[in-house]
mmCIF file of all heavy atoms in Angstrom:
data_model
loop_
_atom_site.group_PDB
_atom_site.id
_atom_site.type_symbol
_atom_site.label_atom_id
_atom_site.label_comp_id
_atom_site.label_asym_id
_atom_site.label_seq_id
_atom_site.Cartn_x
_atom_site.Cartn_y
_atom_site.Cartn_z
ATOM 1 N N GLN A 1 0.829 -1.203 0.000
ATOM 2 C CA GLN A 1 0.000 0.000 0.000
ATOM 3 C C GLN A 1 0.870 1.262 0.000
ATOM 4 O O GLN A 1 0.494 2.287 -0.605
ATOM 5 C CB GLN A 1 -0.952 -0.010 1.190
ATOM 6 C CG GLN A 1 -0.296 0.021 2.550
ATOM 7 C CD GLN A 1 -1.329 -0.048 3.669
ATOM 8 O OE1 GLN A 1 -2.527 0.034 3.412
ATOM 9 N NE2 GLN A 1 -0.876 -0.212 4.889
ATOM 10 N N LEU A 2 2.032 1.216 0.626
ATOM 11 C CA LEU A 2 2.940 2.370 0.564
ATOM 12 C C LEU A 2 3.448 2.574 -0.858
ATOM 13 O O LEU A 2 3.564 3.710 -1.330
ATOM 14 C CB LEU A 2 4.115 2.161 1.520
ATOM 15 C CG LEU A 2 3.796 2.236 3.020
ATOM 16 C CD1 LEU A 2 5.029 1.888 3.844
ATOM 17 C CD2 LEU A 2 3.269 3.616 3.399
ATOM 18 N N ASN A 3 3.743 1.482 -1.554
ATOM 19 C CA ASN A 3 4.188 1.589 -2.938
ATOM 20 C C ASN A 3 3.089 2.142 -3.838
ATOM 21 O O ASN A 3 3.368 2.912 -4.759
ATOM 22 C CB ASN A 3 4.637 0.215 -3.441
ATOM 23 C CG ASN A 3 5.956 -0.223 -2.841
ATOM 24 O OD1 ASN A 3 6.780 0.610 -2.455
ATOM 25 N ND2 ASN A 3 6.177 -1.522 -2.756
ATOM 26 N N VAL A 4 1.844 1.725 -3.593
ATOM 27 C CA VAL A 4 0.729 2.261 -4.381
ATOM 28 C C VAL A 4 0.617 3.763 -4.188
ATOM 29 O O VAL A 4 0.466 4.534 -5.156
ATOM 30 C CB VAL A 4 -0.583 1.541 -4.012
ATOM 31 C CG1 VAL A 4 -1.774 2.266 -4.634
ATOM 32 C CG2 VAL A 4 -0.556 0.097 -4.480
ATOM 33 N N ASN A 5 0.674 4.225 -2.947
ATOM 34 C CA ASN A 5 0.583 5.663 -2.680
ATOM 35 C C ASN A 5 1.737 6.423 -3.316
ATOM 36 O O ASN A 5 1.551 7.507 -3.886
ATOM 37 C CB ASN A 5 0.563 5.902 -1.168
ATOM 38 C CG ASN A 5 -0.709 5.401 -0.515
ATOM 39 O OD1 ASN A 5 -1.766 5.340 -1.151
ATOM 40 N ND2 ASN A 5 -0.623 5.010 0.749
ATOM 41 N N GLU A 6 2.930 5.841 -3.225
ATOM 42 C CA GLU A 6 4.099 6.509 -3.817
ATOM 43 C C GLU A 6 3.975 6.596 -5.328
ATOM 44 O O GLU A 6 4.303 7.623 -5.939
ATOM 45 C CB GLU A 6 5.357 5.736 -3.412
ATOM 46 C CG GLU A 6 6.660 6.300 -3.970
ATOM 47 C CD GLU A 6 7.117 5.605 -5.234
ATOM 48 O OE1 GLU A 6 6.568 4.529 -5.546
ATOM 49 O OE2 GLU A 6 8.006 6.151 -5.916
ATOM 50 N N ALA A 7 3.489 5.534 -5.963
ATOM 51 C CA ALA A 7 3.338 5.535 -7.419
ATOM 52 C C ALA A 7 2.293 6.558 -7.856
ATOM 53 O O ALA A 7 2.455 7.204 -8.898
ATOM 54 C CB ALA A 7 2.968 4.139 -7.901
ATOM 55 N N GLN A 8 1.230 6.695 -7.086
ATOM 56 C CA GLN A 8 0.215 7.707 -7.428
ATOM 57 C C GLN A 8 0.813 9.104 -7.412
ATOM 58 O O GLN A 8 0.535 9.927 -8.293
ATOM 59 C CB GLN A 8 -0.957 7.617 -6.444
ATOM 60 C CG GLN A 8 -1.825 6.390 -6.626
ATOM 61 C CD GLN A 8 -3.113 6.471 -5.836
ATOM 62 O OE1 GLN A 8 -4.184 6.709 -6.386
ATOM 63 N NE2 GLN A 8 -3.025 6.263 -4.531
ATOM 64 N N GLU A 9 1.637 9.375 -6.432
ATOM 65 C CA GLU A 9 2.273 10.698 -6.370
ATOM 66 C C GLU A 9 3.248 10.894 -7.524
ATOM 67 O O GLU A 9 3.352 11.982 -8.088
ATOM 68 C CB GLU A 9 2.991 10.845 -5.032
ATOM 69 C CG GLU A 9 2.049 10.833 -3.831
ATOM 70 C CD GLU A 9 2.798 10.875 -2.510
ATOM 71 O OE1 GLU A 9 4.049 10.880 -2.545
ATOM 72 O OE2 GLU A 9 2.148 10.897 -1.452
ATOM 73 N N ARG A 10 3.967 9.831 -7.886
ATOM 74 C CA ARG A 10 4.911 9.936 -9.003
ATOM 75 C C ARG A 10 4.204 10.183 -10.322
ATOM 76 O O ARG A 10 4.734 10.877 -11.192
ATOM 77 C CB ARG A 10 5.746 8.657 -9.103
ATOM 78 C CG ARG A 10 7.015 8.703 -8.281
ATOM 79 C CD ARG A 10 8.011 7.664 -8.762
ATOM 80 N NE ARG A 10 7.564 6.311 -8.524
ATOM 81 C CZ ARG A 10 7.594 5.355 -9.429
ATOM 82 N NH1 ARG A 10 7.979 5.606 -10.660
ATOM 83 N NH2 ARG A 10 7.189 4.131 -9.118
ATOM 84 N N ILE A 11 3.025 9.591 -10.489
ATOM 85 C CA ILE A 11 2.298 9.796 -11.745
ATOM 86 C C ILE A 11 1.957 11.270 -11.917
ATOM 87 O O ILE A 11 2.132 11.845 -13.002
ATOM 88 C CB ILE A 11 1.032 8.925 -11.763
ATOM 89 C CG1 ILE A 11 1.404 7.446 -11.917
ATOM 90 C CG2 ILE A 11 0.102 9.344 -12.900
ATOM 91 C CD1 ILE A 11 0.236 6.500 -11.819
ATOM 92 N N GLY A 12 1.456 11.907 -10.859
ATOM 93 C CA GLY A 12 1.132 13.335 -10.953
ATOM 94 C C GLY A 12 2.357 14.169 -11.256
ATOM 95 O O GLY A 12 2.309 15.081 -12.103
ATOM 96 N N ALA A 13 3.463 13.868 -10.581
ATOM 97 C CA ALA A 13 4.694 14.625 -10.833
ATOM 98 C C ALA A 13 5.208 14.379 -12.241
ATOM 99 O O ALA A 13 5.687 15.303 -12.917
ATOM 100 C CB ALA A 13 5.750 14.246 -9.802
ATOM 101 N N ALA A 14 5.109 13.134 -12.734
ATOM 102 C CA ALA A 14 5.593 12.817 -14.078
ATOM 103 C C ALA A 14 4.757 13.498 -15.141
ATOM 104 O O ALA A 14 5.295 13.976 -16.157
ATOM 105 C CB ALA A 14 5.579 11.303 -14.287
ATOM 106 N N GLN A 15 3.451 13.593 -14.931
ATOM 107 C CA GLN A 15 2.607 14.288 -15.908
ATOM 108 C C GLN A 15 2.949 15.767 -15.981
ATOM 109 O O GLN A 15 2.975 16.368 -17.056
ATOM 110 C CB GLN A 15 1.141 14.085 -15.543
ATOM 111 C CG GLN A 15 0.647 12.656 -15.749
ATOM 112 C CD GLN A 15 -0.768 12.443 -15.240
ATOM 113 O OE1 GLN A 15 -1.296 13.260 -14.489
ATOM 114 N NE2 GLN A 15 -1.382 11.339 -15.645
ATOM 115 N N THR A 16 3.236 16.372 -14.844
ATOM 116 C CA THR A 16 3.667 17.770 -14.832
ATOM 117 C C THR A 16 4.997 17.933 -15.556
ATOM 118 O O THR A 16 5.202 18.896 -16.314
ATOM 119 C CB THR A 16 3.788 18.264 -13.387
ATOM 120 O OG1 THR A 16 2.528 18.124 -12.731
ATOM 121 C CG2 THR A 16 4.215 19.721 -13.340
ATOM 122 N N ALA A 17 5.908 16.971 -15.345
ATOM 123 C CA ALA A 17 7.204 17.046 -16.006
ATOM 124 C C ALA A 17 7.067 16.912 -17.517
ATOM 125 O O ALA A 17 7.782 17.584 -18.276
ATOM 126 C CB ALA A 17 8.121 15.952 -15.460
ATOM 127 N N VAL A 18 6.157 16.076 -17.983
ATOM 128 C CA VAL A 18 5.943 15.922 -19.427
ATOM 129 C C VAL A 18 5.434 17.222 -20.031
ATOM 130 O O VAL A 18 5.903 17.656 -21.096
ATOM 131 C CB VAL A 18 4.964 14.768 -19.704
ATOM 132 C CG1 VAL A 18 4.527 14.776 -21.174
ATOM 133 C CG2 VAL A 18 5.597 13.434 -19.368
ATOM 134 N N ALA A 19 4.477 17.835 -19.369
ATOM 135 C CA ALA A 19 3.947 19.106 -19.883
ATOM 136 C C ALA A 19 5.048 20.163 -19.956
ATOM 137 O O ALA A 19 5.151 20.898 -20.954
ATOM 138 C CB ALA A 19 2.801 19.579 -19.001
ATOM 139 N N SER A 20 5.880 20.251 -18.936
ATOM 140 C CA SER A 20 6.970 21.231 -18.939
ATOM 141 C C SER A 20 7.996 20.894 -20.015
ATOM 142 O O SER A 20 8.502 21.801 -20.709
ATOM 143 C CB SER A 20 7.646 21.262 -17.565
ATOM 144 O OG SER A 20 6.730 21.642 -16.559
ATOM 145 N N ALA A 21 8.321 19.605 -20.172
ATOM 146 C CA ALA A 21 9.307 19.213 -21.174
ATOM 147 C C ALA A 21 8.788 19.478 -22.592
ATOM 148 O O ALA A 21 9.565 19.850 -23.481
ATOM 149 C CB ALA A 21 9.653 17.735 -21.005
ATOM 150 N N GLN A 22 7.500 19.285 -22.822
ATOM 151 C CA GLN A 22 6.940 19.579 -24.140
ATOM 152 C C GLN A 22 7.038 21.062 -24.466
ATOM 153 O O GLN A 22 7.375 21.457 -25.587
ATOM 154 C CB GLN A 22 5.484 19.109 -24.182
ATOM 155 C CG GLN A 22 5.325 17.589 -24.234
ATOM 156 C CD GLN A 22 3.884 17.166 -24.140
ATOM 157 O OE1 GLN A 22 3.026 17.910 -23.661
ATOM 158 N NE2 GLN A 22 3.586 15.940 -24.585
ATOM 159 N N GLU A 23 6.742 21.907 -23.477
ATOM 160 C CA GLU A 23 6.835 23.351 -23.697
ATOM 161 C C GLU A 23 8.285 23.768 -23.900
ATOM 162 O O GLU A 23 8.592 24.608 -24.768
ATOM 163 C CB GLU A 23 6.244 24.093 -22.485
ATOM 164 C CG GLU A 23 6.308 25.605 -22.580
ATOM 165 C CD GLU A 23 5.487 26.160 -23.739
ATOM 166 O OE1 GLU A 23 4.636 25.431 -24.280
ATOM 167 O OE2 GLU A 23 5.688 27.347 -24.091
ATOM 168 N N ASN A 24 9.188 23.181 -23.142
ATOM 169 C CA ASN A 24 10.607 23.514 -23.287
ATOM 170 C C ASN A 24 11.118 23.118 -24.669
ATOM 171 O O ASN A 24 11.879 23.862 -25.299
ATOM 172 C CB ASN A 24 11.408 22.799 -22.198
ATOM 173 C CG ASN A 24 12.879 23.112 -22.275
ATOM 174 O OD1 ASN A 24 13.281 24.273 -22.354
ATOM 175 N ND2 ASN A 24 13.712 22.067 -22.249
ATOM 176 N N PHE A 25 10.686 21.935 -25.157
ATOM 177 C CA PHE A 25 11.113 21.515 -26.485
ATOM 178 C C PHE A 25 10.527 22.419 -27.564
ATOM 179 O O PHE A 25 11.207 22.748 -28.548
ATOM 180 C CB PHE A 25 10.695 20.062 -26.723
ATOM 181 C CG PHE A 25 11.023 19.570 -28.102
ATOM 182 C CD1 PHE A 25 12.320 19.234 -28.444
ATOM 183 C CD2 PHE A 25 10.034 19.456 -29.077
ATOM 184 C CE1 PHE A 25 12.637 18.779 -29.718
ATOM 185 C CE2 PHE A 25 10.340 19.024 -30.353
ATOM 186 C CZ PHE A 25 11.642 18.666 -30.668
ATOM 187 N N ARG A 26 9.282 22.815 -27.372
ATOM 188 C CA ARG A 26 8.675 23.712 -28.368
ATOM 189 C C ARG A 26 9.451 25.033 -28.459
ATOM 190 O O ARG A 26 9.717 25.529 -29.575
ATOM 191 C CB ARG A 26 7.221 23.974 -27.990
ATOM 192 C CG ARG A 26 6.441 24.771 -29.027
ATOM 193 C CD ARG A 26 5.059 25.115 -28.513
ATOM 194 N NE ARG A 26 5.132 26.026 -27.381
ATOM 195 C CZ ARG A 26 5.305 27.354 -27.498
ATOM 196 N NH1 ARG A 26 5.430 27.909 -28.706
ATOM 197 N NH2 ARG A 26 5.348 28.109 -26.428
ATOM 198 N N LEU A 27 9.833 25.581 -27.328
ATOM 199 C CA LEU A 27 10.587 26.838 -27.336
ATOM 200 C C LEU A 27 11.979 26.654 -27.935
ATOM 201 O O LEU A 27 12.448 27.497 -28.726
ATOM 202 C CB LEU A 27 10.698 27.368 -25.905
ATOM 203 C CG LEU A 27 9.380 27.783 -25.239
ATOM 204 C CD1 LEU A 27 9.613 28.187 -23.793
ATOM 205 C CD2 LEU A 27 8.728 28.928 -26.021
ATOM 206 N N ALA A 28 12.635 25.538 -27.581
ATOM 207 C CA ALA A 28 13.971 25.288 -28.115
ATOM 208 C C ALA A 28 13.925 25.075 -29.623
ATOM 209 O O ALA A 28 14.813 25.535 -30.360
ATOM 210 C CB ALA A 28 14.588 24.075 -27.425
ATOM 211 N N GLN A 29 12.868 24.387 -30.092
ATOM 212 C CA GLN A 29 12.712 24.165 -31.526
ATOM 213 C C GLN A 29 12.521 25.491 -32.252
ATOM 214 O O GLN A 29 13.115 25.732 -33.322
ATOM 215 C CB GLN A 29 11.521 23.249 -31.779
ATOM 216 C CG GLN A 29 11.310 22.876 -33.243
ATOM 217 C CD GLN A 29 12.319 21.864 -33.736
ATOM 218 O OE1 GLN A 29 12.400 20.773 -33.209
ATOM 219 N NE2 GLN A 29 13.118 22.232 -34.735
ATOM 220 N N GLY A 30 11.701 26.364 -31.668
ATOM 221 C CA GLY A 30 11.484 27.667 -32.288
ATOM 222 C C GLY A 30 12.743 28.516 -32.315
ATOM 223 O O GLY A 30 13.032 29.184 -33.335
ATOM 224 N N ARG A 31 13.516 28.463 -31.236
ATOM 225 C CA ARG A 31 14.745 29.245 -31.205
ATOM 226 C C ARG A 31 15.747 28.710 -32.216
ATOM 227 O O ARG A 31 16.441 29.486 -32.885
ATOM 228 C CB ARG A 31 15.352 29.203 -29.798
ATOM 229 C CG ARG A 31 14.563 30.020 -28.762
ATOM 230 C CD ARG A 31 15.093 29.767 -27.354
ATOM 231 N NE ARG A 31 16.520 30.018 -27.262
ATOM 232 C CZ ARG A 31 17.064 31.223 -27.096
ATOM 233 N NH1 ARG A 31 16.266 32.294 -27.026
ATOM 234 N NH2 ARG A 31 18.376 31.367 -27.016
ATOM 235 N N PHE A 32 15.811 27.385 -32.333
ATOM 236 C CA PHE A 32 16.754 26.820 -33.291
ATOM 237 C C PHE A 32 16.341 27.149 -34.724
ATOM 238 O O PHE A 32 17.187 27.497 -35.564
ATOM 239 C CB PHE A 32 16.833 25.303 -33.094
ATOM 240 C CG PHE A 32 17.838 24.617 -33.983
ATOM 241 C CD1 PHE A 32 19.192 24.650 -33.679
ATOM 242 C CD2 PHE A 32 17.431 23.961 -35.143
ATOM 243 C CE1 PHE A 32 20.114 24.022 -34.500
ATOM 244 C CE2 PHE A 32 18.353 23.341 -35.957
ATOM 245 C CZ PHE A 32 19.695 23.364 -35.644
ATOM 246 N N ASP A 33 15.062 27.027 -35.008
ATOM 247 C CA ASP A 33 14.592 27.344 -36.361
ATOM 248 C C ASP A 33 14.791 28.810 -36.696
ATOM 249 O O ASP A 33 14.997 29.170 -37.863
ATOM 250 C CB ASP A 33 13.112 26.974 -36.488
ATOM 251 C CG ASP A 33 12.896 25.463 -36.418
ATOM 252 O OD1 ASP A 33 13.877 24.715 -36.628
ATOM 253 O OD2 ASP A 33 11.758 25.034 -36.129
ATOM 254 N N ALA A 34 14.716 29.666 -35.657
ATOM 255 C CA ALA A 34 14.904 31.106 -35.880
ATOM 256 C C ALA A 34 16.375 31.488 -35.965
ATOM 257 O O ALA A 34 16.699 32.643 -36.261
ATOM 258 C CB ALA A 34 14.230 31.901 -34.770
ATOM 259 N N GLY A 35 17.262 30.542 -35.686
ATOM 260 C CA GLY A 35 18.685 30.821 -35.778
ATOM 261 C C GLY A 35 19.298 31.419 -34.545
ATOM 262 O O GLY A 35 20.480 31.787 -34.568
ATOM 263 N N VAL A 36 18.557 31.507 -33.462
ATOM 264 C CA VAL A 36 19.100 32.091 -32.237
ATOM 265 C C VAL A 36 19.423 31.042 -31.191
ATOM 266 O O VAL A 36 20.027 31.345 -30.158
ATOM 267 C CB VAL A 36 18.122 33.133 -31.651
ATOM 268 C CG1 VAL A 36 17.938 34.284 -32.619
ATOM 269 C CG2 VAL A 36 16.772 32.472 -31.336
ATOM 270 N N GLY A 37 18.994 29.789 -31.395
ATOM 271 C CA GLY A 37 19.269 28.704 -30.458
ATOM 272 C C GLY A 37 20.352 27.787 -30.986
ATOM 273 O O GLY A 37 20.628 27.758 -32.191
ATOM 274 N N THR A 38 20.964 27.031 -30.086
ATOM 275 C CA THR A 38 22.035 26.119 -30.473
ATOM 276 C C THR A 38 21.491 24.698 -30.594
ATOM 277 O O THR A 38 20.432 24.357 -30.046
ATOM 278 C CB THR A 38 23.167 26.138 -29.435
ATOM 279 O OG1 THR A 38 22.661 25.646 -28.179
ATOM 280 C CG2 THR A 38 23.695 27.562 -29.241
ATOM 281 N N ILE A 39 22.262 23.870 -31.309
ATOM 282 C CA ILE A 39 21.865 22.469 -31.452
ATOM 283 C C ILE A 39 21.938 21.742 -30.107
ATOM 284 O O ILE A 39 21.160 20.828 -29.827
ATOM 285 C CB ILE A 39 22.771 21.761 -32.499
ATOM 286 C CG1 ILE A 39 22.261 20.350 -32.785
ATOM 287 C CG2 ILE A 39 24.212 21.729 -32.000
ATOM 288 C CD1 ILE A 39 20.923 20.303 -33.444
ATOM 289 N N LEU A 40 22.878 22.184 -29.253
ATOM 290 C CA LEU A 40 22.982 21.570 -27.930
ATOM 291 C C LEU A 40 21.731 21.846 -27.105
ATOM 292 O O LEU A 40 21.211 20.947 -26.424
ATOM 293 C CB LEU A 40 24.222 22.106 -27.206
ATOM 294 C CG LEU A 40 24.478 21.537 -25.810
ATOM 295 C CD1 LEU A 40 24.682 20.035 -25.885
ATOM 296 C CD2 LEU A 40 25.681 22.226 -25.165
ATOM 297 N N GLU A 41 21.236 23.045 -27.195
ATOM 298 C CA GLU A 41 20.007 23.388 -26.471
ATOM 299 C C GLU A 41 18.827 22.571 -27.002
ATOM 300 O O GLU A 41 17.996 22.075 -26.223
ATOM 301 C CB GLU A 41 19.731 24.882 -26.620
ATOM 302 C CG GLU A 41 18.443 25.354 -25.966
ATOM 303 C CD GLU A 41 18.158 26.832 -26.235
ATOM 304 O OE1 GLU A 41 18.958 27.487 -26.920
ATOM 305 O OE2 GLU A 41 17.107 27.304 -25.760
ATOM 306 N N LEU A 42 18.761 22.390 -28.308
ATOM 307 C CA LEU A 42 17.650 21.641 -28.901
ATOM 308 C C LEU A 42 17.721 20.156 -28.544
ATOM 309 O O LEU A 42 16.704 19.548 -28.187
ATOM 310 C CB LEU A 42 17.671 21.816 -30.417
ATOM 311 C CG LEU A 42 16.577 21.071 -31.196
ATOM 312 C CD1 LEU A 42 15.201 21.537 -30.748
ATOM 313 C CD2 LEU A 42 16.757 21.268 -32.694
ATOM 314 N N THR A 43 18.908 19.562 -28.631
ATOM 315 C CA THR A 43 19.023 18.139 -28.319
ATOM 316 C C THR A 43 18.792 17.867 -26.826
ATOM 317 O O THR A 43 18.236 16.829 -26.464
ATOM 318 C CB THR A 43 20.403 17.617 -28.733
ATOM 319 O OG1 THR A 43 21.428 18.418 -28.110
ATOM 320 C CG2 THR A 43 20.567 17.672 -30.251
#
C-alpha cells in the first residue's frame, strides 16, 4: 500500500514534467529554427 501511494504521487509529478518538457522543447525548436538557439540546447 505504501508503494501504491508513492506511485500515485509519481504519476502526478511525471505528468507535470511531461507538460513542462513539451513546452521547453517547443521553445527550443522555435529558437533553433529562428537561428538564435544552439543544437545543444535543442538536443
Side-chain angles (χ1 to χ4, degrees):
Q1 63 182 352
L2 290 175
N3 287 333
V4 170
N5 292 332
E6 179 264 347
Q8 288 191 105
E9 295 176 358
R10 270 199 293 132
I11 289 175
Q15 290 174 345
T16 301
V18 169
S20 299
Q22 288 174 339
E23 179 63 16
N24 181 50
F25 177 76
R26 186 186 66 81
L27 295 176
Q29 184 75 60
R31 288 171 55 82
F32 183 79
D33 292 341
V36 297
T38 64
I39 187 65
L40 181 61
E41 177 184 0
L42 179 60
T43 55

